[in-house]
Amino acid sequence: MTELSKNFEPQQTDNKWYAHWMEKGYFYSTPDHREPYTIVIPPPNVTGVLHMGHALNNTIQDILIRRARMQGKNACWVPGTDHASIATEAKVVGMLRERGIAKSSLSRDEFLSYAWEWKEKYGGIILQQLKKLGCSLDWKRTSFTMDPDYYASVIKVFIDLHKKGLIYRGKRMVNWDPMSQTALSDEEVIFKEIDSKLYYVQYLLTDGTGSITVATTRPETILGDVAICVNPTDERYTGFVGKEVIVPIINRKIPIIADEYVTADFGTGALKITPAHDKNDNMLGAKHGLKAIDTLDATGKFSSAELMDDAPSELVLSYNGIDRFELRKRIAEDIGALGQIQKIEDYKGQVGTSERTGAVIESKLSLQWFIDMQAFLEKNPEALESVMDDTIRFHPAKAKNTYNHWLENIKDWCISRQLWWGQRIPAWYDAERRFVVAATEAEAIAMFQEQFSISNAQLKQDEDVLDTWFSSWLWPMEVFKGISNPGNIDAAYYYPSTTLVTGQDIIFFWVARMIMAGYEYGNEQPFKDVYFTGMVRDKQGRKMSKQLGNSPDLLALIEQYGADAVRFGIMVSSPAGNDLMFDESALEQGKNFNNKLWNALKLLKMWEGRSNVDGQESTTESNFAVDWFANRLNQVKAEVNTLMDQFKLSEALKTIYSLIWDDFCSWYLEWVKPGFEQPIDAAVYQETIGYFTELLQLLHPFMPFISEEIYHLLDERADDLCVKLYAPLIPADEQVITDGELLKKVITALREARVKNNIKPKEPIQLFIQTAVKDRYRLLENILMKQVNASSIEVSDTFTQQGISLTVDTDKFLIISSQPIDTNAQKEALVKDLEHQQKFFESVGKKLSNEKFVANAKPEVIELERKKQADAAARMQAIEESLAELV
RNA sequence: GGGAGCAUAGCUCAGUUGGUUUAGAGCAUCUGCCUUACAAGCAGAGGGUCCGCGGUUCGAACCCGUGUGCUCCCACCA
């Protein structure tokens, strides 16, 4: 027997076991006759590092996949990363800048070779970090959304959807990120409340009869104004409609028009129309036949390029190159100098920002590629139906509402991005901007021949790449090459996947689109269950963020507490779909739990050499304890199964924790513990080892390292817990469970009596019991004696001595000790208990004498109330007898 | 502005179709113990107007209405 350390030392065991599991290839999966259980990881950004959100998400996936593996399913958890177009490109640009290289000085190919170099070097660190957490991923299947096959599948889907008329190219108002200089989808825009100012700008009428004042938050766009709009019912302005005003500074003459869109009671009731810079203005401009004048360039700086018709002044030209926010101040000042700013008010408004860069979004008219989502959904109505009718089950179900709302109000998806890192859009243009969509230039040339009768066309490929989510939505299929090589063995076996575990925040970005793609390309659901995790917050409920500095270093925590303790801490307080309030004290609890397990092991190791193989017969206390725990274990295993099937992982873990700590360690081990330096019965010892093994197996999905370690220390063996199959469930014997509960209750009550009467633990007592179920107590006697330190137990019909009396259920107990008895305190306690019982008895009695209750309640409920009443009566009688015996 | 959700012990949460609930657990707190696996522990205890108000019902933490307070999602009233 090797010497066991005082406490469990995870740092030494975690890496050892992970390496061992890898070496054995336990995480690798290939199709076979077994039922598959498939999870595809939500691919983290290739540039990412492990944070609390990942830890929560991946711990859950690992628990599910490990359990499936031990249930005999063919468990396959596919790892991988996402190329994360914007985020990665930004990182590479930053890296180049540090080296003194500007992106603009590079060709596309040069830039991409730097990007790949960077990806190879730094990408996927996060996957290595997942190993520290114990994640049992099938590393041979590691995928990347820019792998050659994956890339090809994305192009294939683009071409296919274009052919089906679901993808179109058009000039629309898009969300423009001036920092990364690309269009974004609506989902990538986050609205934030920002303090700004409302400027009241006066526009003079051309006929010299006065002016109209407009309230705007964006004076920098004034030079692009093409009209002033008022509500037709607004009496203040009835005389104005049809007249013209002069735009300050640029001196353009623009009409005053009327449209019901304008709300009279906001600002001055007059709205300036700038179709190039606002979605609603653009809509109004189109409706009223107004042109759009764009005064900002792609980087958000002023550009006079579209102002040439207005013969711009020196002042206007001097704005060129000024950033939009600086420009706002400048123009406001310059209009102020003209005396045409009436007032400036503080104003808090919603401003769209880029999810990735945080830059304030500009609405910009731009030629982009879109998916007609409405048409897509009409073609695939199952995408909505499957979720609403629980063909795809959402956990928690309330996420269905969110999903439903989004799909019912779905808008077109802008999928082109003005970036280089990503799948390049397979559209080919000639000099006259005619285009075809084709996978290769050769195909495109052939198509030009066919469509436009142009041979050997000189073509250029679209410069843009696709939105990252346009590749992610194929993830569950394409990790098995289901798009690039449809119907292959892996795809047929593993797809649709079993469970998806992801954050609620990407329900639209990702989950909804995967479901849509699933029905379009495979005509079935991509997964059966979706488990949504909440957000990880600090214990004050704040989001974790770099600015607040409240985001713990996960690897440091693993180093400090061990991976199992971290997993425990995360899981113990994270119900499905609810935010996780991360608190380091939960990790402490996890560490303590490790230690508890470790000490149980140490205890068994002490018994190992002292088991009595051929000696005395098993004692009855051991028999009952062994019998009880076997049943208790079966009972809890069934409970855990139910909880796991309902995805109540946190509850399941707490249930296992309590089974191990309370039932196994506090009760069972104490019940079978032999006297000091006494041998333990060999059969009992063997059973105990078996129970501990089963407990470790139950715990393994949650805490894989320590369970594997103890499993091997408990008994030298060749197999591993990691792949040990769960035994079939056996129903528990209720009578044995009930007897065990009674025993616990009696022990607790007697201990309480000892404490209250100042009987020292070491002082033995004599115990007398009056009970109607003598046989049951005979079974429990020896354990009871040991647990309450009784020198004798006598089951009799009457008590003949004075002592401390108490009742448990309807059984009466009398304790005789050398301590002097405080009769008054005894009486007081009994009277208090009696009063309590009486109150209860009366309330039940009241209920039972209520005719309406007896008439309306279900028979079994009435029966129950009768039983409660009878029990209370019996208890009252027992207490009264005890009181009478007290002189 | 529209929609969804939540409110139970100091904290984090369970509580299945209303009746085995006189509302439970973990953590924290308090008391006593270095008892021969474990003081990172053991034994025991205290702690709740189930957010307020009204209603339905024989019976409500649970169902309905309403008020209050939080959270999230959607929506560019300039």
Side-chain angles (χ1 to χ4, degrees), chain A residues 251 255 290 667 679 700 887:
Chain A
N251 296 326
L290 302 164
W667 295 115
H700 180 80
V887 181

Side-chain angles (χ1 to χ4, degrees), chain A residues 339-371:
Chain A
Q340 285 175 255
I341 298 274
Q342 284 194 330
K343 60 174 172 176
I344 301 171
E345 283 177 354
D346 285 332
Y347 182 75
K348 47 184 186 335
Q350 298 281 317
V351 173
T353 60
S354 162
E355 191 219 8
R356 289 286 169 207
T357 67
V360 173
I361 294 300
E362 283 294 330
S363 281
K364 194 176 171 68
L365 209 48
S366 169
L367 194 54
Q368 302 286 345
W369 292 90
F370 296 88
I371 298 187

Side-chain angles (χ1 to χ4, degrees), chain A residues 15 33 57 95 111 123 148 180 195 211 275 327 480 530 538 591 598 602 649 671 699 703 726 730 762 770 794 806 854:
Chain A
N15 291 337
H33 62 282
N57 191 262
M95 176 272 290
F111 177 82
S180 55
D195 287 323
S211 67
L327 184 65
F480 300 113
V530 184
D538 67 11
K591 198 171 124 188
W598 191 249
K602 276 161 64 180
L649 307 196
W671 291 353
L699 181 65
M703 300 172 76
Y726 288 121
I730 301 166
K762 281 185 176 163
Q770 283 181 34
E794 202 175 303
L806 59 143
V854 181

Side-chain angles (χ1 to χ4, degrees), chain A residues 774-814:
Chain A
K774 290 179 183 162
D775 293 350
R776 287 170 66 187
Y777 275 92
R778 215 148 279 140
L779 271 177
L780 311 176
E781 231 165 44
N782 286 329
I783 295 175
L784 192 55
M785 197 183 269
K786 191 163 68 179
Q787 293 294 286
V788 300
N789 191 17
S791 56
S792 68
I793 292 185
E794 202 175 303
V795 178
S796 60
D797 294 327
T798 49
F799 296 153
T800 53
Q801 299 180 61
Q802 287 283 313
I804 301 157
S805 61
L806 59 143
T807 61
V808 173
D809 293 342
T810 54
D811 300 330
K812 287 166 62 187
F813 298 83
L814 185 76

Side-chain angles (χ1 to χ4, degrees), chain A residues 3 80 209 217 235 239 315 349 351 369 410 421 496 617 636 715-716 740 762-763 767 788 818 824 873:
Chain A
E3 194 62 38
T209 57
T217 55
E235 289 171 8
L315 177 62
V351 173
W369 292 90
I410 200 157
W421 179 245
E617 281 176 25
V636 175
D715 204 347
E716 275 183 40
K762 281 185 176 163
E763 190 195 330
L767 183 62
V788 300
S818 64
N824 285 332

Side-chain angles (χ1 to χ4, degrees), chain A residues 688-792:
Chain A
T688 305
I689 297 284
Y691 294 156
F692 200 10
T693 302
E694 286 209 61
L695 292 172
L696 292 168
Q697 197 183 7
L698 205 52
L699 181 65
H700 180 80
F702 295 88
M703 300 172 76
F705 294 113
I706 191 171
S707 52
E708 187 76 82
E709 173 76 2
I710 294 178
Y711 178 74
H712 286 270
L713 289 172
L714 217 44
D715 204 347
E716 275 183 40
R717 39 189 140 203
D719 69 328
D720 292 305
L721 190 61
C722 179
V723 289
K724 188 178 168 68
L725 297 185
Y726 288 121
L729 281 185
I730 301 166
D733 179 336
E734 288 301 327
Q735 185 58 54
V736 178
I737 298 285
T738 310
D739 287 350
E741 289 309 304
L742 174 68
L743 179 56
K744 287 185 194 176
K745 244 158 93 178
V746 170
I747 291 169
T748 303
L750 290 169
R751 279 175 178 166
E752 185 191 344
R754 291 187 66 122
V755 168
K756 288 208 167 137
N757 291 282
N758 293 316
I759 304 173
K760 295 245 154 39
K762 281 185 176 163
E763 190 195 330
I765 54 166
Q766 285 173 271
L767 183 62
F768 296 89
I769 307 172
Q770 283 181 34
T771 175
V773 282
K774 290 179 183 162
D775 293 350
R776 287 170 66 187
Y777 275 92
R778 215 148 279 140
L779 271 177
L780 311 176
E781 231 165 44
N782 286 329
I783 295 175
L784 192 55
M785 197 183 269
K786 191 163 68 179
Q787 293 294 286
V788 300
N789 191 17
S791 56
S792 68

Side-chain angles (χ1 to χ4, degrees), chain A residues 842-854 869:
Chain A
E842 280 161 23
S843 85
V844 176
K846 219 169 143 186
K847 210 179 212 180
L848 280 167
S849 60
N850 182 337
E851 282 173 31
K852 287 181 177 171
F853 171 72
V854 181
Q869 193 184 35

